[in-house]
Amino acid sequence: MPGIILIGAQWGDEGKGKATDLIGTKVDYVARFNGGNNAGHTVVVGNESYALHLLPSGIINPHVTPVIGNGVVVDPEVLFQEIEGLESRGVDCSKLLVSSEAHVIAPYHRTLDKVTERFLGKHKIGTTGRGIGPAYADKINRVGIRIHDLFNAEHLRNKVEASLHQKNQMLVKLYNRREIDIDETVEDLLKYGEKLKPYVANTSLVLNQALDAGKTVLFEGGQATMLDIDHGTYPFVTSSNPTAGGACTGTGVGPTKISRVIGVVKAYTTRVGEGPFPTELFDESGEWLRQQGHEFGVTTGRPRRCGWFDAVVARYATQVNGLTDFVLTKLDVLTGLDSIPVCVAYDVTTTDGQTQRVSEMPVDQSEFTSATPVYEQMPGWKEDISTVHSFDELPQATQNYVHRLEEISGCRISAIGTGPQRDHIIEVHSLTD
Ligand code: GDP
Ligand code: IMO
Ligand code: MG
């Protein structure tokens, strides 16, 4: 009956797509539970590279049933573009199941995302501009549109009217933009309703029945712990719960069905968008990591901000997600360095102006924003590790680096990524047994 949750342990782009693909060979269902097409998950199979935004990465494995859970926000236009793109490359998407309760990203959510970011000016979040925040805001404000609303014209019109009533006033009076046409919006959404029908299901029931029948379900998170609306670096976060708890609310599966919680963590750190990032590098080392690691966004193409591994963040991720395992990715990227700094604590300035050394995540955001990393230096290695398939064959310095990360992050490392390909992986402990 194993339910396995897989989440990002840092600020996203840790390699969740690749880790999902790895575990996907041994599971029956892969369910996305949060976010939408703000995600960009890469799966590389031979010469083919797939960038998944909304669809679960498990869709690349033919025996997997891919599921979009109720906690996801679905842009139907993007969904069909993605399905068509994959099918034209020979990937079968016919088994996809979409929750009838998932909320819809309508074109006006995308408009509002861009307009509000512009309006925020220097306070902007640096969102992906995909309408994620406005769609979740409507969900919480109880004026959202759900997938099953797209099947009934009259019902949908009422909902769109209720949702646009206030937004149109804001667009015209505050943002000096044109009003959004209700009829056009309804017509557009209804068209997608028809196309969506074959995929729509009671996904909570499907997943629970599957788990009860002894099948394995992998819950694939979008975004990451530090982008969580509750546990991340608020307000520089996304609008959903990418942490482990989100897998339950975002699919309608209870926590007693979960047996593993896997955190994907990079051997260094990256972040896209605005917000605090204590180990960020502004010198040539940051540029070196960006080039070595090809750190450019899958969704927006933005260069990712780069920095050293932050064990305070990793420990925090272990704690808030109840992690049982880490998948450590991109270890190969660090090859060639003489020595590798690892952040083990922060020096923070408290509200009364004192400097204090802390080894746990500060609850006060201003302390986190002012945090200066305290580094420990680990010896580097020069050998190519991309062809190594067992832990014991790794250079001693690489083994020591992994062991040290394990020690200071509070959770065992069960797999190690040594390159982007499927077989660029060292499995130290099984992730599914
Ligand atoms: P996700 O959003 O967490 O799925 O991660 P992304 O796909 O946005 O970014 C991770 C990038 O790193 C992708 O280009 C992957 O192909 C690549 N990648 C994943 N694991 C490894 C690894 O172990 N080594 C290297 N060099 N690249 C990796
Ligand atoms: P994956 O799943 C990295 C960031 C955006 C921005 C903030 C809010 O590929 O790891 P949003 O559009 O969600 O309202 O933007 O969150 N962000 C991500 N950063 N990886 C992602 O997804 C992200 N999804 C959102 O850059 O800072
Ligand atoms: Mg990504």
Side-chain angles (χ1 to χ4, degrees):
M1 186 224 53
I4 304 170
I5 298 175
L6 184 140
I7 54 93
Q10 296 157 319
W11 277 281
D13 306 323
E14 297 91 349
K16 297 177 290 295
K18 184 186 162 190
T20 299
D21 180 57
L22 169 76
I23 302 168
T25 55
K26 296 176 192 131
V27 307
D28 303 293
Y29 291 78
V30 176
R32 274 281 305 269
F33 58 85
N34 78 299
N37 59 307
N38 47 350
H41 294 183
T42 316
V43 177
V44 183
V45 186
N47 293 329
E48 296 287 319
S49 176
Y50 302 92
L52 287 320
H53 297 286
L54 185 52
L55 293 168
S57 303
I59 202 157
I60 305 298
N61 277 295
H63 64 278
V64 161
T65 302
V67 177
I68 292 182
N70 57 275
V72 174
V73 281
V74 178
D75 185 327
E77 192 180 327
V78 171
L79 179 69
F80 287 108
Q81 269 168 12
E82 206 164 316
I83 291 176
E84 280 150 28
L86 285 178
E87 288 194 329
S88 72
R89 296 172 71 184
V91 178
D92 176 25
C93 299
S94 62
K95 285 200 286 181
L96 173 71
L97 299 176
V98 180
S99 166
S100 60
E101 292 176 323
H103 279 249
V104 171
I105 300 181
Y108 51 82
H109 292 128
R110 274 180 261 150
T111 306
L112 279 168
D113 196 353
K114 288 177 186 139
V115 168
T116 45
E117 276 282 276
R118 213 168 302 142
F119 199 74
L120 278 169
K122 69 180 170 66
H123 302 293
K124 72 174 195 256
I125 310 297
T127 73
T128 59
R130 301 299 192 263
I132 306 294
Y136 277 116
D138 274 6
K139 175 176 175 175
I140 302 300
N141 278 332
R142 292 158 295 185
V143 288
I145 312 284
R146 294 195 286 178
I147 296 283
H148 61 75
D149 295 326
L150 306 185
F151 305 151
N152 179 324
E154 200 187 316
H155 185 65
L156 179 63
R157 195 172 204 290
N158 279 334
K159 295 243 164 184
V160 172
E161 236 171 40
S163 185
L164 283 181
H165 183 65
Q166 189 201 29
K167 287 183 187 71
N168 271 337
Q169 303 259 348
M170 267 171 47
L171 277 169
V172 174
K173 294 182 185 157
L174 183 63
Y175 298 125
N176 200 21
R177 301 275 296 221
R178 261 187 304 145
E179 221 177 65
I180 288 162
D181 189 87
I182 295 176
D183 291 328
E184 234 171 70
T185 308
V186 172
E187 209 174 296
D188 201 34
L189 290 174
L190 280 175
K191 207 170 55 200
Y192 286 118
E194 274 310 304
K195 271 183 99 173
L196 268 164
K197 257 186 192 157
Y199 300 102
V200 176
N202 179 347
T203 51
S204 165
L205 184 65
V206 170
L207 292 174
N208 277 289
Q209 284 177 338
L211 287 161
D212 290 344
K215 307 269 188 214
T216 308
V217 178
L218 178 65
F219 300 87
E220 177 190 5
Q223 295 74 56
T225 304
M226 299 305 283
L227 290 172
D228 187 282
I229 186 83
D230 286 285
H231 303 292
T233 47
Y234 190 89
F236 301 102
V237 292
T238 192
S239 304
S240 69
N241 285 117
T243 44
C248 293
T249 49
T251 57
V253 169
T256 51
K257 304 273 169 81
I258 307 300
S259 57
R260 289 294 265 280
V261 186
I262 300 167
V264 186
V265 70
K266 252 182 230 190
Y268 50 97
T269 314
T270 63
R271 174 165 205 173
V272 201
E274 307 300 315
F277 175 4
T279 64
E280 181 168 15
L281 294 163
F282 299 96
D283 58 7
E284 64 277 13
S285 310
E287 192 50 38
W288 186 85
L289 281 175
R290 191 172 303 113
Q291 296 304 330
Q292 291 287 116
H294 306 289
E295 295 297 354
F296 297 89
V298 178
T299 300
T300 57
R302 289 180 287 181
R304 294 173 181 152
R305 300 158 62 190
C306 296
W308 300 120
F309 188 86
D310 186 335
V312 182
V313 166
R315 264 198 305 280
Y316 180 68
T318 302
Q319 175 202 311
V320 296
N321 295 293
L323 295 184
T324 56
D325 305 84
F326 270 123
V327 171
L328 178 70
T329 60
K330 302 194 111 165
L331 188 58
D332 54 301
V333 173
L334 298 180
T335 300
L337 293 167
D338 291 327
S339 104
I340 310 169
V342 172
C343 167
V344 291
Y346 302 141
D347 281 335
V348 299
T349 310
T350 59
T351 35
D352 52 10
Q354 305 287 315
T355 301
Q356 215 175 39
R357 186 154 295 185
V358 296
S359 55
E360 297 301 338
M361 183 65 64
V363 280
D364 187 319
Q365 268 297 300
S366 58
E367 286 185 13
F368 186 67
T369 305
S370 72
T372 309
V374 178
Y375 287 117
E376 184 178 293
Q377 297 292 332
M378 295 293 297
W381 60 90
K382 308 281 180 189
E383 300 91 330
D384 174 18
I385 60 166
S386 64
T387 51
V388 175
H389 288 286
S390 88
F391 187 78
D392 298 338
E393 287 167 31
L394 284 171
Q396 195 54 51
T398 321
Q399 292 190 28
N400 293 346
Y401 183 74
V402 174
H403 280 314
R404 185 66 185 135
L405 294 198
E406 203 162 37
E407 210 169 66
I408 52 182
S409 304
C411 179
R412 71 178 184 175
I413 291 170
S414 296
I416 299 164
T418 55
Q421 290 284 344
R422 246 182 186 172
D423 62 348
H424 281 147
I425 197 91
I426 298 171
E427 286 189 74
V428 188
H429 307 284
S430 166
L431 289 164
T432 44
D433 294 346

